Amino acid sequence: MRIADYSVTRAILERHGFTFKKSFGQNFLTDTNILQKIVDTAEVDKNVNVIEIGPGIGALTEFLAEKAAEVMAFEIDDRLIPILADTLRDFDNVQVVNQDILKADLQTQIKQFKNPDLPIKVVANLPYYITTPILMHLIESKIPFAEFVVMMQKEVADRIAAEPNTKAYGSLSIAVQYYMAAEVAFIVPRTVFVPAPNVDSAILKMVRRDQPLVEVQNEDFLFDVAKASFVHRRKTLWNNLTNRFGKSENVKEKLRQALEMAGLRPSVRGEALSIADFGRLADALKEQGF
Ligand code: SAM
C-alpha cells in the first residue's frame, strides 16, 4: 500500500485529525499511477538529489525517496510536520524543512545534502496559488538545478511552454525559456486529488540549457523589455515601448533607431517576437542609452 492510495490517505488524515487549508493550496494526490509517471518523467536515480516543495502527507515524497539519493522537502504547514515524521519514518534519506519556500535561503539549504555535488532536480506538486513566484524564486536563486518536473495549473504550464504567435505566449514564457527548455509532459485531471481543485493540471518538464537561449548585455533589462511589450497584448510593440520608455521626440527617435538596429517593424506585436528578437531589441535599446 502507498501513502497515496485513497484509503491510506483517508486513514492518515483521520488518524491525525487533519483538515485541509485552502489558503495553502492543499490538494493531495491520490493516484499512484500518476505519481509513478511523475518520477519516471523526472528520471530520478541514486545519482540525483531532489528538492520537493509542499510534500503534504508525503504522497510524492515516498516515490522520490525510493529512487533518489536524498530528498529535501519544504513544507510551510506546521501541522504536517508530525504527520510526515510518521508517514516517512522508514526513510533515512528525507529531510523535511518546515519553511515557506519563498523565504528559504536555498543556497545555504542545499549544503545540507550529504552529497552536495550531485545534480539537483526539483520535483513537486506545487501549491497553485504561488506557482509563478516559486518558479521565479528557484530561477533567481541562481542554483544550477538540472531539471524541474512540477505539477501546476494546466493554463500556467501552457503559458510557460508557449511558442511565439500564440495566445499563451508572454513574458512568463520568456523568463523561463531563456534558462530552461520547457515542455508539457502530460495532463492530470482534477479528479485524482482530494479535495479536487477547480482546474485541470499538467506536469511541466523544464531542463536547464547549457547556456541561456540568447546572449544579452543585461538579463534584467531583457525581462523588463519583454514584460513591457506584453502590457497591452493587442497593441503594437511601438505602443508598448513608448508607454514604457516615454513619448518625447528624443525618446521616440532613439526607439526608432533601436528597432531598426534590431530589424523589427514598430507595427509588429510583442507576441510575434522570439526570445532571440527580444534579445536583439534589448541590446539595441541599451546601445541607444536606455
Ligand atoms: N505533495 C503533496 C501531494 O502531491 O499530495 C501535496 C501537494 S499540495 C498541492 C501543496 C503543498 O504545498 C501543501 O502541502 C501545502 O501545505 C504546501 N505549501 C503551500 N505553500 C507553501 C510554501 N509557501 N512553502 C512550502 N510549502 C507550501
Side-chain angles (χ1 to χ4, degrees):
M1 293 293 267
R2 295 285 192 172
I3 296 169
D5 282 313
Y6 185 77
S7 58
V8 178
T9 294
R10 275 275 154 233
I12 293 169
L13 298 177
E14 225 161 83
R15 191 161 72 239
H16 292 271
F18 184 82
T19 48
F20 294 101
K21 222 180 206 174
K22 222 177 162 186
S23 60
F24 282 155
Q26 291 176 340
N27 303 97
F28 295 170
L29 258 172
T30 58
D31 186 318
T32 52
N33 290 327
I34 295 213
L35 286 161
Q36 186 61 53
K37 253 174 109 174
I38 295 174
V39 178
D40 291 348
T41 303
E43 296 170 296
V44 172
D45 59 32
K46 291 289 167 192
N47 293 313
V48 169
N49 284 330
V50 170
I51 288 190
E52 186 188 0
I53 296 144
I57 59 170
L60 176 58
T61 326
E62 178 184 34
F63 278 76
L64 292 170
E66 284 171 1
K67 296 276 180 191
E70 260 190 278
V71 182
M72 189 180 289
F74 291 84
E75 176 54 64
I76 197 172
D77 190 344
D78 312 348
R79 301 171 309 152
L80 288 167
I81 307 306
I83 303 183
L84 287 162
D86 171 22
T87 58
L88 301 173
R89 62 185 178 276
D90 291 341
F91 295 101
D92 59 6
N93 62 342
V94 178
Q95 296 182 49
V96 175
V97 185
N98 185 196
Q99 256 189 45
D100 177 346
I101 186 70
L102 296 179
K103 296 195 181 134
D105 175 359
L106 290 169
Q107 288 283 3
T108 309
Q109 286 292 345
I110 59 171
K111 296 195 183 115
Q112 304 296 319
F113 279 123
K114 283 181 208 126
N115 186 351
D117 296 329
L118 293 179
I120 303 174
K121 296 187 178 182
V122 175
V123 188
N125 170 15
L126 293 176
Y128 292 177
Y129 72 107
I130 43 169
T131 303
T132 311
I134 290 176
L135 288 178
M136 295 328 284
H137 180 64
L138 295 173
I139 287 174
E140 284 163 9
S141 73
K142 301 282 177 208
I143 296 170
F145 295 112
E147 259 178 46
F148 300 155
V149 173
V150 284
M151 174 128 68
M152 60 185 70
Q153 310 89 305
K154 181 177 174 302
E155 178 257 331
V156 178
D158 285 342
R159 283 204 278 135
I160 292 174
E163 300 284 337
N165 287 314
T166 61
K167 250 191 180 166
Y169 184 65
S171 51
L172 184 61
S173 332
I174 293 161
V176 174
Q177 289 180 36
Y178 177 74
Y179 299 104
M180 326 269 301
E183 62 163 11
V184 174
F186 58 96
I187 309 297
V188 181
R190 59 192 85 178
T191 47
V192 299
F193 301 88
V194 281
N198 295 326
V199 291
D200 288 331
S201 302
I203 295 290
L204 190 69
K205 178 166 176 156
M206 293 166 270
V207 181
R208 174 170 295 273
R209 301 182 192 282
D210 293 336
Q211 288 166 26
L213 199 55
V214 290
E215 207 178 304
V216 287
Q217 290 177 32
N218 182 323
E219 289 177 358
D220 290 339
F221 189 64
L222 163 70
F223 300 134
D224 177 1
V225 171
K227 212 169 183 178
S229 304
F230 288 99
V231 166
H232 300 288
R233 293 190 70 94
R234 306 201 54 78
K235 291 197 174 163
T236 61
L237 182 61
W238 176 257
N239 240 297
N240 278 317
L241 290 178
T242 52
N243 276 337
R244 165 67 183 83
F245 294 106
K247 295 184 171 105
S248 71
E249 276 317 311
N250 181 28
V251 169
K252 281 189 188 162
E253 185 46 38
K254 286 184 180 169
L255 285 177
R256 262 183 224 109
Q257 297 270 352
L259 284 168
E260 203 178 311
M261 276 171 74
L264 295 167
R265 280 176 297 114
S267 61
V268 72
R269 286 212 188 121
E271 66 185 26
L273 271 59
S274 65
I275 299 179
D277 291 332
F278 276 114
R280 284 200 319 281
L281 176 59
D283 278 356
L285 287 165
K286 269 270 161 263
E287 296 214 358
Q288 292 299 321
F290 287 102

